[in-house]
Amino acid sequence: LGAVAVSEGSSSWSRICLASRMPCADHASCDSCLEPGDSSEGCFWCHASGTCEMASIGTEPFGECEDPSYARGMCACAHHTSCGSCAVATNPACVWIGPAELRGSVEYTNNFFFTSFATRQSMSSLSVRAGGCHPGWGFGAFGLVQNATLFNGGMGHLSVQTELVPDEYFWAQCSLPNEGSALLMMGAIAAAAAVLSALMGAIFPQRPKRAISELPLI
């Protein structure tokens, strides 16, 4: 048997569940943590710690984790744990999120000592020091809005929806925030194309076309 922490407001208690269910901590990667199935029910991936953790049924389902991912499709860049490894030219599909705000709402039902009560309310906004490495491109990150049902069974019901609102993000480098890097790259490409066009024009000048009246008569 194993104990699962469940919280409601300022009070907390433990509930006994079957140990045949794989604990979240046994998932060593984001992919296995968020893989659908009984072994990952209630699990979320914490980018900051690089660990798979179990959500709590209550108003603070992710505990002290500032940058949780709990919906599939969020793991492609999760193995990068710093801007230096995430926001580089070799990772054009990854974006590093800097300071951000995590907003959300939670709906849950606790089944405790044969009683059940449902609650739906907003989560307290959380200031995030760094939102981690997310899928994205030069004009923003993908998957900043997540929603999923983490528990739905004997332990109770827990549905969560969150939105990560970045103050800034970095793509392909860690100095110029937001879309600045993409715009700079687009400008460089446009300038290079103009230079190449001028160079080709100088090497292969076009001969002026002759008017029909200037063509020799046969």
Side-chain angles (χ1 to χ4, degrees), residues 1-181:
L1 297 179
V4 176
V6 182
S7 65
E8 160 58 26
S10 59
S11 63
S12 63
W13 58 83
S14 294
R15 183 172 304 166
I16 303 302
C17 69
L18 293 178
S20 59
R21 181 184 176 281
M22 181 187 295
C24 296
D26 285 358
H27 294 282
S29 70
C30 179
D31 287 304
S32 65
C33 179
L34 303 185
E35 185 69 24
D38 292 341
S39 67
S40 59
E41 182 186 14
C43 297
F44 68 92
W45 183 259
C46 185
H47 290 268
S49 62
T51 55
C52 186
E53 302 179 14
M54 177 174 284
S56 297
I57 298 180
T59 56
E60 299 179 357
F62 306 116
E64 297 181 357
C65 181
E66 297 180 344
D67 52 357
S69 285
Y70 52 92
R72 294 199 70 193
M74 298 301 298
C75 295
C77 303
H79 57 287
H80 298 292
T81 57
S82 69
C83 184
S85 65
C86 172
V88 293
T90 53
N91 293 328
C94 294
V95 168
W96 179 261
I97 294 180
E101 183 181 11
L102 183 66
R103 306 168 183 169
S105 60
V106 59
E107 179 179 347
Y108 60 92
T109 302
N110 271 323
N111 300 327
F112 183 61
F113 286 126
F114 309 105
T115 63
S116 177
F117 50 92
T119 304
R120 180 183 180 89
Q121 66 181 74
S122 298
M123 295 167 51
S124 299
S125 295
L126 180 67
S127 295
V128 180
R129 288 168 294 180
C133 193
H134 288 254
W137 67 317
F139 292 95
F142 304 142
L144 297 183
V145 177
Q146 302 180 69
N147 60 82
T149 296
L150 298 180
F151 291 111
N152 192 18
M155 292 181 60
H157 171 87
L158 173 65
S159 293
V160 181
Q161 177 172 330
T162 56
E163 179 181 9
L164 189 62
V165 183
D167 291 339
E168 59 184 18
Y169 64 87
F170 297 90
W171 176 73
Q173 45 74 55
C174 296
S175 300
L176 193 60
N178 304 333
E179 66 274 7
S181 178

